[in-house]
Amino acid sequence: MIKNIVTLVFFSFTTLIFAQKRSLNHEDYDLWKNIPDTKISNSGKLIVSVIQTSTKRGNGHLEIYNTENKKKFTFFNGYDSSITNDENYVIFKRKPKYETVRKEKKKKVKKDKKTKNDLFIYDVRNNKIYDSIIRINSYKVPEESDGWVVIEKYKNKKPEKEKKGKDTLEIKKKDTVKTELGKAFKQNYALVYNLNTKEQDTIFQIKDFILSENGNNFYYSKKNEKKKEKDIGVFEYDIVSKSKFLIDSTRYVYDKLSVDKSGKHFSFISAKDSTHIDSLKYELFYYKDKRLTTIVDTLGKNLRKNWELGIGKTSFFSENSNRFYFYSKPKVVFHQDTTLMEDEIPQVDVWNWKDKMIQPEQDVRFEELKNRGFMSYYDIEKKSIVHIQDEKIEDIIVDNDREQRFVLGATGAPYDVQRSWFLPWTRDFYVIDTYTGQKRLGLTKTALQPFLSPNGKYALYYDIFEKHWFSLELSTLKKTNLTKKIKVAFYDENDDHPMLPYMHGFGGFDIKGDVLIYDKFDVWKVDITGKAKPTNITVNGRQNNIEYRTLRLDSENQNIASFSNDHLLITSFDMTTKSSGLYILKDNKLVEKIKPTKFFINRYDKAKKGEVITFRKQNFNTFQDLHYTDNAFENITQITKANPQKEDFKWGTAELFSWKAYDGTKLDGIIYKPEDFDPSKKYPLITYFYEKRSDSYRTYYTPRPSASIVNPSYLVSNDYVMFVPDIVYEDGKPGPSAYNCVVSGVEALEKLGYVDSENLAIQGQSWGGYQVAYLVTVTNKFKAAMAGAPVSNMTSAYGGIRWGSGLSRAFQYERSQSRIGKNLWEGFDLYVENSPLFGIPKIETPLLMMHNDKDGAVPYYQGIEMFMGMRRLGKPAWLLVYNDEAHNLRKEKNRQDLSIRMMQFFDYYLQDKPAPKWMTDGVPRVDKGKNLGYELEEKSMETGKIIPSSNR
């Protein structure tokens, strides 16, 4: 009896807890925050986080956490922060209130009169806002110099004219006389701000400015108030003396300012006159010690014959300022008929079957190709020029300091035509001697970009054909197989594309210059010379089904592995439990620092000169808040709590699920269940899929408007069960493979007893959208389906273009994700068999599609073909076309709309809710933007508006 009372009390208490929570709805999205930006000061004393609404519809804040005194300081709408080198100040912008911005947009306030960002300076030592400056556009802080900042302010607002009377717009006659408002009212201007004294020096008519990393000076250009007049000049500003020094003012325009780390070396390009604005003749100048040197003039000084200065890219200095790099290109002379008027010149794209790059790709890359330049450098000590790149070399791979003798030059020219249908894309790599410019062919038909060793003697590369790692000795071109004696594979054994598999990855170079590379599970240390025996430094990954990987946290040296207190940092991911951990390698043994538990841990970052490390920690129920450690992981502290409101809402749980596909393959998937799940009830099921997703088991999903797919958090909060199955593929059978994995998984789930077999649906986007469209042609199991950007006709899609990149789609079918493995003519039957379009007569499942008119990945007409076919054969279908939108929605208003319509669609079919009018009546074009059709019909058989569903 007592036991029954306790049980009753428990269930009553539990029911009360759930009753206090409510389900998510589409109006709740704006409550959720994310953390888009985090910065750590040099020693790790300060951690600055920006927290904002995930929808951008609302206000956010900035948090400054002091790891020494453990205090946190919060500032409304702060963002775009910088921490000074000495860690005495945090500088950040403050956005206007969201309500203000929205109001001004609605009133169509002119740009100049809109509320602008303000700048705030936080004094760390005194724990207070030190100063603020209104109406700022941008600011720059030197990386390694202290005490000053340069701030670009918007021009001052003109004072409002005095009105004659309260009820009239007549202006007093004396106020119609124009008065001199000063330069600050006519153009943006800059403030040189002293952080220690608050003193400000003003630079009017600022055009551009550039700071060095550690110098006490900066450089800037000035422009005239009138756009068509010549620039005023280019200047140097000395911080200590507050003096401005004119470098040059004799030319028409100044551009592409560049400075070295010390601030002693400076360069710019300029043009002498404005005879033809669209064809200015630029020259390149180098400046040091108040002396200006012409590096390249209009006659081609220091250039190859018939070459000219390339102005599309900015020049730069090497790490130690020994070299000054710039770009040039061959002159191109056009023989235009200048007598023709614009409307007499034909507008035509000429496609040639021998083109290395097809016309659409040339169009997408137009600016890049137009601004292409080829690298040379000026040896500052020798005062000589070395040309290290010619027009045959497309890309240069340089060392981090840009001062090593040997670099690599890449060209894909021999293989460019076959890029349209072949993967992997390959290139040839030349070893270029930067002392002389001489180049030697080092690697041919190489798929992946090599890595230059820190000592400059070797290049490390993976040969996708040999399936091994090699080193290339740059001086001799000697190649050494580094992994031939290791009996494990370094390529992805589980890759199921009809192409050669890529390698598992590169973990960086360690402190001694040894190579760190991955097999499926472990990290191997390899001597780049090939002399020492390779070592498995993580030892037990394969045995324990754990994936170990290194961290590379130095943004300035991304090929160098990261260490903590001189110990290599290594992450773990348990392939069985999907949990994460962190280790250090100490005395050749793994030492656990973060124990793998129920979380996924990622987004590590480290102080540049200290041992403070930050990271994110998440699972389905836990938002990825920021954590840190400053004592070698002895203590870990959470320093943000971005979404406390989550506790007010019904959520859910995630669990792993395994089953066998029809062909016997063991598969994994994720089941998401409502928080108050009752195994005795029957729940509607929505199945979402895209390749393999089970590794995302411990991922938190922020409730937010959808770019294309269903949201797990929203679904479980609204009493759906969601299933995400992994899919494996057989070449030539992408559609049947999806059936083999997805439908078998749903049927295995049905056997658990809590899935309502009468209310099943599927949803997918892009490749997943294709599979949704295919599945409804081969099974009537699902009551409703939603497909985003589906390919419906592989025969027409094969010959199409990916408009976002300009690439042919053929390679995708022959070698990549679509997995046909043959060209259209060799595998015609496969293209037809796998195309949903040809199976439309068999469809009995209502289908909602989204396919947008600026989709750059899947041609928009693919959705149209599917829709028109279903319409012709009388199959229930809806097509949402968002205007000027890409493959996945970008605009928040459209994401909100899709989320509402998609869930109204599923709610109608799976939860027996009324249909919205956009489904029953549509939305006429004349009502577009006025009548959204969200209103729900009164559910009655007498209305005649009940929409058919599958006969199953």
Side-chain angles (χ1 to χ4, degrees):
M1 182 67 179
I2 293 176
K3 181 180 178 181
N4 291 338
I5 293 173
V6 171
T7 303
L8 180 62
V9 170
F10 172 77
F11 279 113
S12 298
F13 177 69
T14 305
T15 303
L16 180 62
I17 292 174
F18 290 139
Q20 291 172 343
K21 296 184 177 183
R22 66 176 179 84
S23 297
L24 287 161
N25 62 51
H26 300 297
E27 296 177 355
D28 296 323
Y29 296 136
D30 295 341
L31 299 175
W32 257 261
K33 307 288 198 305
N34 62 10
I35 310 173
D37 182 38
T38 298
K39 292 184 174 68
I40 311 176
S41 63
N42 286 338
S43 74
K45 176 181 177 180
L46 303 172
I47 302 172
V48 182
S49 303
V50 173
I51 298 175
Q52 64 182 23
T53 55
S54 59
T55 62
K56 308 289 178 66
R57 298 184 304 220
N59 300 305
H61 63 275
L62 177 139
E63 295 182 0
I64 301 173
Y65 184 85
N66 191 313
T67 61
E68 291 183 355
N69 61 26
K70 313 302 180 187
K71 292 183 179 180
K72 183 192 294 184
F73 310 94
T74 302
F75 300 94
F76 176 79
N77 265 3
Y79 80 111
D80 190 14
S81 64
S82 296
I83 306 170
T84 58
N85 179 64
D86 57 14
E87 301 179 316
N88 288 333
Y89 301 95
V90 178
I91 302 169
F92 60 91
K93 295 179 185 176
R94 185 185 68 182
K95 297 178 183 178
K97 289 182 179 180
Y98 173 72
E99 297 79 8
T100 300
V101 173
R102 189 173 183 277
K103 185 177 180 180
E104 290 178 345
K105 281 183 179 180
K106 199 167 184 180
K107 288 187 173 182
K108 297 182 179 180
V109 174
K110 291 183 178 179
K111 185 177 179 180
D112 286 349
K113 294 186 177 181
K114 285 182 178 178
T115 306
K116 307 298 184 184
N117 291 327
D118 300 328
L119 185 92
F120 285 81
I121 302 170
Y122 168 71
D123 184 338
V124 175
R125 290 169 296 188
N126 295 304
N127 182 28
K128 65 179 183 179
I129 292 295
Y130 178 69
D131 203 353
S132 62
I133 298 170
I134 63 170
R135 290 180 58 79
I136 72 110
N137 180 28
S138 66
Y139 74 94
K140 294 179 183 178
V141 178
E143 287 187 28
E144 298 181 17
S145 180
D146 299 319
W148 57 284
V149 57
V150 181
I151 304 162
E152 183 186 6
K153 275 181 57 65
Y154 285 106
K155 63 184 179 182
N156 293 349
K157 291 178 70 173
K158 294 179 181 179
E160 297 290 335
K161 292 181 179 180
E162 186 180 344
K163 297 178 181 180
K164 183 176 181 180
K166 184 177 180 181
D167 298 317
T168 178
L169 295 178
E170 184 181 348
I171 305 299
K172 290 183 179 180
K173 189 173 182 180
K174 66 176 183 180
D175 290 333
T176 62
V177 179
K178 292 184 178 180
T179 57
E180 178 59 44
L181 296 174
K183 295 177 181 178
F185 291 91
K186 296 180 179 179
Q187 280 185 332
N188 292 0
Y189 58 98
L191 299 177
V192 185
Y193 185 97
N194 187 311
L195 290 168
N196 298 319
T197 65
K198 297 187 180 180
E199 291 180 322
Q200 301 175 21
D201 194 6
T202 304
I203 301 174
F204 291 111
Q205 298 170 289
I206 192 82
K207 178 184 178 182
D208 193 12
F209 62 98
I210 186 168
L211 279 60
S212 63
E213 287 187 23
N214 52 24
N216 278 314
N217 63 334
F218 70 93
Y219 299 88
Y220 61 96
S221 56
K222 294 179 69 173
K223 60 184 176 182
N224 268 295
E225 295 165 6
K226 296 180 180 179
K227 291 182 178 180
K228 293 184 179 181
E229 291 190 10
K230 69 183 288 293
D231 287 347
I232 294 171
V234 63
F235 301 79
E236 178 183 3
Y237 188 100
D238 185 277
I239 296 295
V240 177
S241 64
K242 296 186 230 177
S243 59
K244 307 177 182 82
F245 178 79
L246 174 63
I247 296 172
D248 188 79
S249 63
T250 63
R251 291 164 174 80
Y252 175 73
V253 65
Y254 298 88
D255 204 357
K256 296 289 191 298
L257 311 185
S258 176
V259 67
D260 77 327
K261 289 181 69 172
S262 70
K264 296 178 181 178
H265 304 263
F266 171 64
S267 79
F268 61 91
I269 64 172
S270 66
K272 288 183 178 179
D273 56 57
S274 61
T275 305
H276 299 288
I277 295 292
D278 59 346
S279 58
L280 293 172
K281 301 298 182 183
Y282 281 92
E283 300 174 297
L284 177 66
F285 292 90
Y286 163 68
Y287 172 80
K288 184 190 176 187
D289 296 334
K290 303 293 189 283
R291 181 177 178 181
L292 193 61
T293 302
T294 305
I295 303 297
V296 176
D297 61 18
T298 55
L299 299 177
K301 176 185 177 181
N302 287 326
L303 298 182
R304 286 162 280 200
K305 187 176 180 181
N306 293 323
W307 281 53
E308 63 185 0
L309 183 66
I311 62 171
K313 297 181 179 180
T314 301
S315 304
F316 61 92
F317 293 88
S318 62
E319 180 73 10
N320 298 314
S321 306
N322 295 318
R323 298 178 181 180
F324 169 50
Y325 288 89
F326 63 94
Y327 298 89
S328 59
K329 61 182 181 180
K331 288 182 180 178
V332 179
V333 179
F334 296 102
H335 301 287
Q336 286 183 286
D337 186 346
T338 57
T339 64
L340 293 176
M341 296 188 298
E342 186 175 348
D343 61 0
E344 295 174 330
I345 301 173
Q347 299 296 308
V348 58
D349 299 327
V350 179
W351 296 43
N352 188 308
W353 71 287
K354 294 182 180 180
D355 284 343
K356 295 283 188 179
M357 186 184 300
I358 60 175
Q359 286 287 324
E361 185 179 3
Q362 292 183 49
D363 183 50
V364 170
R365 297 174 59 183
F366 178 77
E367 288 299 320
E368 172 194 344
L369 296 172
K370 184 181 74 171
N371 293 325
R372 190 177 179 190
F374 303 91
M375 190 183 292
S376 303
Y377 76 85
Y378 174 67
D379 188 306
I380 291 174
E381 183 179 348
K382 296 179 181 178
K383 295 181 173 53
S384 61
I385 299 288
V386 179
H387 303 297
I388 62 174
Q389 184 183 8
D390 59 30
E391 56 191 315
K392 294 180 181 179
I393 301 296
E394 297 161 359
D395 296 301
I396 293 288
I397 303 167
V398 298
D399 59 286
N400 195 59
D401 292 343
R402 292 157 173 82
E403 294 190 352
Q404 288 181 359
R405 178 170 183 175
F406 296 109
V407 298
L408 295 175
T411 177
Y415 321 106
D416 276 350
V417 173
Q418 69 182 35
R419 285 194 316 135
S420 288
W421 62 84
F422 184 80
L423 277 181
W425 294 338
T426 56
R427 295 189 292 175
D428 293 339
F429 289 87
Y430 288 83
V431 177
I432 301 174
D433 187 335
T434 64
Y435 291 178
T436 64
Q438 178 192 14
K439 65 177 186 291
R440 296 166 293 151
L441 183 60
L443 302 172
T444 59
K445 205 173 183 181
T446 302
L448 301 168
Q449 182 166 303
F451 304 93
L452 291 173
S453 66
N455 64 11
K457 296 180 180 180
Y458 295 89
L460 171 75
Y461 68 98
Y462 180 79
D463 190 314
I464 201 167
F465 301 98
E466 294 287 337
K467 298 181 180 177
H468 281 287
W469 284 93
F470 288 78
S471 66
L472 174 71
E473 189 173 19
L474 299 177
S475 60
T476 65
L477 303 185
K478 177 185 175 182
K479 300 171 187 175
T480 302
N481 189 324
L482 302 178
T483 54
K484 65 180 179 181
K485 294 181 179 180
I486 304 176
K487 295 182 179 180
V488 298
F490 286 89
Y491 61 87
D492 184 355
E493 308 99 303
N494 300 123
D495 187 277
D496 55 14
H497 296 86
M499 59 176 285
L500 291 169
Y502 289 105
M503 82 294 199
H504 279 293
F506 169 60
F509 295 97
D510 70 8
I511 292 174
K512 295 180 180 179
D514 286 325
V515 177
L516 301 173
I517 53 177
Y518 308 143
D519 69 20
K520 183 177 179 180
F521 300 99
D522 289 299
V523 180
W524 291 76
K525 182 172 73 171
V526 178
D527 175 11
I528 200 165
T529 68
K531 295 176 182 177
K533 183 180 178 180
T535 306
N536 179 350
I537 62 174
T538 52
V539 182
N540 63 9
R542 186 170 296 270
Q543 176 184 343
N544 296 331
N545 203 32
I546 295 174
E547 178 189 86
Y548 291 109
R549 297 295 183 252
T550 63
L551 290 170
R552 289 184 282 163
L553 305 178
D554 187 344
S555 60
E556 296 179 2
N557 297 278
Q558 294 184 347
N559 289 337
I560 304 298
S562 293
F563 291 74
S564 177
N565 292 316
D566 298 325
H567 299 305
L568 182 66
L569 289 165
I570 297 178
T571 65
S572 71
F573 181 78
D574 190 311
M575 304 295 286
T576 304
T577 66
K578 315 299 182 184
S579 58
S580 305
L582 183 72
Y583 298 79
I584 61 169
L585 190 69
K586 185 176 182 181
D587 298 328
N588 297 319
K589 292 183 180 179
L590 289 179
V591 178
E592 186 178 85
K593 287 298 180 181
I594 300 180
K595 182 179 179 63
T597 53
K598 59 181 180 179
F599 295 100
F600 176 61
I601 302 171
N602 66 341
R603 298 183 69 176
Y604 289 91
D605 200 2
K606 186 177 183 295
K608 190 175 182 179
K609 300 176 183 178
E611 295 302 322
V612 173
I613 296 175
T614 63
F615 56 91
R616 306 288 182 90
K617 183 176 170 182
Q618 64 179 301
N619 61 27
F620 183 62
N621 274 281
T622 308
F623 175 76
Q624 53 268 38
D625 274 301
L626 187 67
H627 296 69
Y628 88 98
T629 178
D630 60 356
N631 56 1
F633 299 93
E634 294 302 318
N635 296 102
I636 292 173
T637 303
Q638 178 178 331
I639 56 175
T640 64
K641 191 171 183 180
N643 292 295
Q645 78 288 344
K646 174 187 169 292
E647 302 306 317
D648 299 330
F649 293 90
K650 291 172 60 179
W651 209 256
T653 60
E655 63 184 57
L656 290 171
F657 178 67
S658 297
W659 76 100
K660 285 188 177 179
Y662 295 134
D663 65 0
T665 303
K666 184 180 179 296
L667 296 170
D668 293 323
I670 310 169
I671 305 171
Y672 298 97
K673 298 177 180 177
E675 185 174 282
D676 51 356
F677 176 76
D678 181 351
S680 66
K681 288 177 58 177
K682 295 285 188 180
Y683 290 87
L685 175 72
I686 295 180
T687 298
Y688 164 80
F689 40 84
Y690 192 96
E691 300 274 0
K692 296 174 184 175
R693 303 286 296 176
S694 61
D695 284 354
S696 65
Y697 163 55
R698 299 192 186 276
T699 299
Y700 178 90
Y701 291 94
T702 295
R704 63 167 300 168
S706 173
S708 56
I709 66 173
V710 286
N711 183 287
S713 303
Y714 182 93
L715 290 183
V716 296
S717 185
N718 285 275
D719 295 320
Y720 283 97
V721 171
M722 179 176 172
F723 178 45
V724 183
D726 283 349
I727 304 174
V728 295
Y729 296 91
E730 182 181 349
D731 288 358
K733 298 182 178 181
S737 295
Y739 180 88
N740 175 54
C741 300
V742 174
V743 180
S744 67
V746 172
E747 289 186 348
L749 205 57
E750 287 179 281
K751 293 177 182 177
L752 298 180
Y754 54 79
V755 170
D756 184 353
S757 296
E758 298 299 316
N759 288 293
L760 307 175
I762 48 176
Q763 197 274 330
Q765 162 72 8
S766 190
W767 179 236
Y770 153 71
Q771 290 164 105
V772 167
Y774 174 85
L775 286 175
V776 296
T777 70
V778 295
T779 179
N780 296 324
K781 187 174 190 64
F782 302 102
K783 198 173 182 181
M786 191 277 174
V791 164
S792 61
N793 182 358
M794 287 190 172
T795 65
S796 59
Y798 174 86
I801 299 293
R802 293 181 65 93
W803 294 109
S805 61
L807 297 171
S808 163
R809 293 178 55 81
F811 76 88
Q812 193 172 319
Y813 291 88
E814 296 190 36
R815 298 285 181 170
S816 187
Q817 189 176 52
S818 299
R819 294 176 169 92
I820 297 298
K822 296 181 180 180
N823 67 40
L824 178 63
W825 303 273
E826 293 172 344
F828 180 76
D829 290 347
L830 295 176
Y831 281 83
V832 173
E833 290 166 10
N834 286 280
S835 294
L837 183 74
F838 302 109
I840 289 177
K842 300 176 184 177
I843 294 178
E844 295 182 18
T845 305
L847 179 63
L848 171 66
M849 289 180 287
M850 175 189 78
H851 213 141
N852 307 318
D853 58 14
K854 290 294 188 295
D855 191 325
V858 178
Y860 166 41
Y861 58 74
Q862 288 293 312
I864 295 175
E865 285 191 47
M866 189 73 184
F867 175 80
M868 296 305 295
M870 293 188 71
R871 181 176 183 271
R872 171 64 182 84
L873 297 181
K875 311 289 184 176
W878 297 262
L879 176 61
L880 304 176
V881 180
Y882 291 95
N883 304 147
D884 198 30
E885 277 281 22
H887 189 56
N888 290 287
L889 296 174
R890 296 173 181 170
K891 300 171 185 175
E892 208 67 31
K893 63 180 182 179
N894 294 334
R895 292 180 172 188
Q896 185 86 10
D897 183 82
L898 173 64
S899 299
I900 293 170
R901 296 187 196 277
M902 184 161 53
M903 290 315 305
Q904 285 183 331
F905 172 77
F906 284 131
D907 288 347
Y908 170 74
Y909 281 112
L910 304 186
Q911 291 193 349
D912 205 30
K913 293 182 180 179
K917 289 190 176 181
W918 66 267
M919 286 178 63
T920 57
D921 296 339
V923 179
R925 195 58 168 246
V926 293
D927 292 351
K928 181 179 176 180
K930 302 169 186 174
N931 171 25
L932 298 174
Y934 294 157
E935 301 86 358
L936 301 179
E937 297 278 7
E938 291 183 14
K939 189 167 184 186
S940 168
M941 291 299 292
E942 296 177 358
T943 64
K945 294 181 178 179
I946 297 300
I947 305 163
S949 63
S950 170
N951 294 326
R952 294 174 43 84

